[in-house]
Amino acid sequence: MIESSVVIIPTYNEALNVQPMIEKLFELYPQISILIVDDNSPDKTALVVETMRAIHSRLFLIQRAGKLGLGTAYLEGFEWALIKKFKFIFQMDCDFSHDPKDLQNLINSLINENAEVAIGSRYSGNAIRTKDWPLHRLILSYTAAFVLRILTGLRIKDALGGFKCFRSEALGKINLKNIISKGFVFQFEINYKIHLMGFKIIEVPIIFKQRVMGSSKMNLKIIVEALKVLCQLRLKKFTGKLDS
Ligand SMILES: Nc1nc2c(ncn2[C@@H]2O[C@H](COP(=O)(O)OP(=O)(O)OP(=O)(O)O)[C@@H](O)[C@H]2O)c(=O)[nH]1
Ligand SMILES: [Mg+2]
């Protein structure tokens, strides 16, 4: 399975993390492919990747003109992965908050439970599995996930988690052009669309670690966009105008 899989990793100023992340993934899964989607990071993340491409034939890079947002980076990555006909499409952060070792568990659970999406979940099973995360970040993330659950009826404990494995057939049925999120709230919107299509989403427990190197891209603008997108989605659903 892993040989027909690609891991999409969006990067913005991850020059300190990107090489160790790529090396770890290839060490654990020599047959996997990796796509880095970089937004012209000022710290030259893309240059590190470009240099590594000389020795890794399964390493790919999309370089974009500027910081266009996490959601649009994933959309470009998904479109690329679908064209390349990968069967399984993973997405994860570059900052080691997501443990590369958990990839195997995600895909095993997806297949064993015959699901279309497996989400690496910090909050499933009524537990909280975050390590060294500042309390205010945990409260923000947990509350947002709770509010999303209540407002949308989507029974996912960690609807904003960024560590996932998709079956490409399911992802291919979503009209990616209709996704409205530009930033972080994309994580929720794609789950919501997949749920509305009737696909099975499962949560697989993971431990989420605070990043050690580099800096967070979370800011107020991202939170405001999340609230705006949520209102738009609810309104579209209410008026029957929400397309897949
Ligand atoms: N291409 C691209 N990647 C991004 C953008 N914003 C964030 N990223 C990447 O998306 C992943 C998640 O971003 P983080 O800054 O770790 O955000 P976070 O995990 O919500 O925040 P922390 O918990 O503080 O780490 C990382 O690999 C980032 O480099 C963006 O605008 N474009
Ligand atoms: Mg992070």
Side-chain angles (χ1 to χ4, degrees), residues 140-190:
L140 181 65
S141 161
Y142 196 84
T143 311
F146 178 75
V147 170
L148 286 172
R149 230 168 30 245
I150 300 297
L151 292 185
T152 63
L154 187 57
R155 299 265 150 251
I156 297 177
K157 286 284 178 67
D158 193 359
L160 290 165
F163 195 11
K164 302 184 201 175
C165 178
F166 300 88
R167 280 186 201 267
S168 55
E169 303 94 53
L171 210 47
K173 292 202 176 105
I174 303 290
N175 190 345
L176 298 174
K177 302 260 180 299
N178 281 341
I179 299 272
I180 53 177
S181 311
K182 300 278 176 262
F184 178 69
V185 68
F186 166 82
Q187 308 292 15
F188 167 75
E189 188 178 357
I190 195 96

Side-chain angles (χ1 to χ4, degrees), residues 10-12 14 37 39 67 69-70 94-95 137 211 216-217:
T11 54
Y12 191 74
E14 300 287 2
V37 185
D39 276 4
K67 194 170 186 315
L70 182 68
C94 194
D95 56 5
R137 285 300 309 273
R211 67 156 75 233
S216 171
K217 280 95 216 170

Side-chain angles (χ1 to χ4, degrees), residues 9-14 37-39 64 66-71 73-74 92-95 97 133 137 184 208 210-211 215-218 222:
I9 306 178
T11 54
Y12 191 74
N13 282 346
E14 300 287 2
V37 185
D38 185 72
D39 276 4
R64 307 199 306 162
K67 194 170 186 315
L68 301 171
L70 182 68
Y74 271 126
M92 70 188 293
D93 293 354
C94 194
D95 56 5
S97 285
W133 220 23
R137 285 300 309 273
F184 178 69
F208 177 95
Q210 165 72 323
R211 67 156 75 233
S215 59
S216 171
K217 280 95 216 170
M218 184 58 68
I222 291 174

